[in-house]
Amino acid sequence: MFGLYAAVVLIWGSTWIAIQYQLSVAPEVAVAYRFALATLILMAWCVVRHLPMRFNVRDHFFMAVLGVCLFSLNYVLIYVASVHLTSGLLAVVFSTIVIMNMINGAIFFRRRPETRTLIGASIGLAGIAMVFANDLASFDLAAGGSIGLLVSLAGSYIASLGNMASARNHARGVPVMQANAFGMLYGTLLLFGYIALAGIPVTFDASVSFLAAWVYLALFGSVLGFGFYLTLLGKIGPDRAAYSSVMFPIVALLLSTWFEDFHWTGNIIFGVALTLVGNVVILTKRVPKPASQVLEHVTPAPVQNPATCTPTPGVKS
């Protein structure tokens, strides 16, 4: 479990580097290219491995929901919101998917979040708010901020619905690999449909940096990243798995320290410490008391004296 979690955090925390090299084309087009290549990789893998690819209409419907919510529409909305919000604010807003997953888990699966999950999530969200305190302080609701906030919240909630679709697929026994392959196919088709309707110019950059970033985002950021994340989601539940979204910005900051000479301040250090504490609280399980300690608190039943027991009528003593 910890290996999957660490892989998700490290992969998605590092994708921001590759995204920087994709901005030579329209963001929506870059995302469409990313998932188109990821779809080809996954479909080819499924064919080579002779994985079963036949599913009923209902399963295809939920795989389409997964693709629309997690591999296309949420990305479009986040990119639209980025016009009005800083990357730090987007990180804060998107980290609320932890709470959204808890709420949606209760609505769709009647799953009550554990107390330690609520506590850990609260600590982690407080930490991420501390890290991006300057972005929060400079937020202007009037200067397009309200639009950016609403759109980013919508994108985060739609991503949470994608998490619920994945949880449903896992419960139905639909393998993650095939679900992601079909989901990315449906999501990619929606993306290209949106690009055509919006009149966004479809261009391509043949530079080495663009191609390298494209392959990294498709293979690591999409095929492996989503594969690990949705497998983790099936193992530990949407609420705990979603906490990884709080850790992505922390990894990005660490990499920024190396690549961009990022300088740490007191509130950032304290915020990172809080997110790590929340991480420990959410991912560690409560250790049950030994049976000997439990028995100490059990009041023994009174023992009857055989000499004073009254035999039950009809039963030989």
Side-chain angles (χ1 to χ4, degrees), residues 60-246:
H60 270 284
F61 171 78
F62 280 100
M63 286 189 285
V65 172
L66 172 68
V68 170
C69 293
L70 208 56
F71 305 138
S72 58
L73 186 55
N74 61 316
Y75 275 92
V76 172
L77 292 177
I78 291 297
Y79 274 118
V80 170
S82 67
V83 176
H84 306 284
L85 300 180
T86 64
S87 58
L89 275 173
L90 279 175
V92 174
V93 174
F94 191 75
S95 65
T96 61
I97 194 175
V98 180
I99 304 300
M100 295 175 182
N101 275 9
M102 290 181 189
I103 295 172
N104 283 332
I107 293 173
F108 294 106
F109 302 106
R110 301 186 184 281
R111 176 174 178 162
R112 292 182 58 186
E114 299 177 0
T115 302
R116 66 185 301 109
T117 303
L118 288 170
I119 295 172
S122 300
I123 295 172
L125 290 173
I128 204 70
M130 285 286 295
V131 169
F132 298 106
N134 291 335
D135 296 277
L136 290 171
S138 61
F139 176 64
D140 187 356
L141 194 63
S146 58
I147 296 174
L149 181 61
L150 291 174
V151 171
S152 59
L153 283 171
S156 301
Y157 186 74
I158 288 172
S160 177
L161 292 179
N163 284 192
M164 297 305 110
S166 179
R168 179 268 173 196
N169 291 337
H170 184 273
R172 289 282 299 176
V174 179
V176 170
M177 190 71 72
Q178 292 95 308
N180 283 2
F182 280 112
M184 288 183 186
L185 173 63
Y186 294 132
T188 301
L189 293 175
L190 177 67
L191 277 171
F192 278 114
Y194 167 78
I195 290 167
L197 290 174
I200 299 171
V202 179
T203 58
F204 190 80
D205 184 353
S207 66
V208 174
S209 59
F210 183 91
L211 294 175
W214 181 32
V215 172
Y216 181 81
L217 288 171
L219 179 58
F220 288 91
S222 300
V223 173
L224 296 179
F226 277 106
F228 292 154
Y229 175 74
L230 296 180
T231 301
L232 184 70
L233 184 147
K235 290 180 177 293
I236 66 175
D239 46 1
R240 296 173 70 197
Y243 190 82
S244 56
S245 65
V246 178

Side-chain angles (χ1 to χ4, degrees), residues 1-2 5 116 236 240 278-285:
M1 182 190 76
F2 288 105
Y5 184 84
R116 66 185 301 109
I236 66 175
R240 296 173 70 197
N279 194 79
V280 172
V281 172
I282 279 187
L283 294 182
T284 54
K285 292 184 177 181

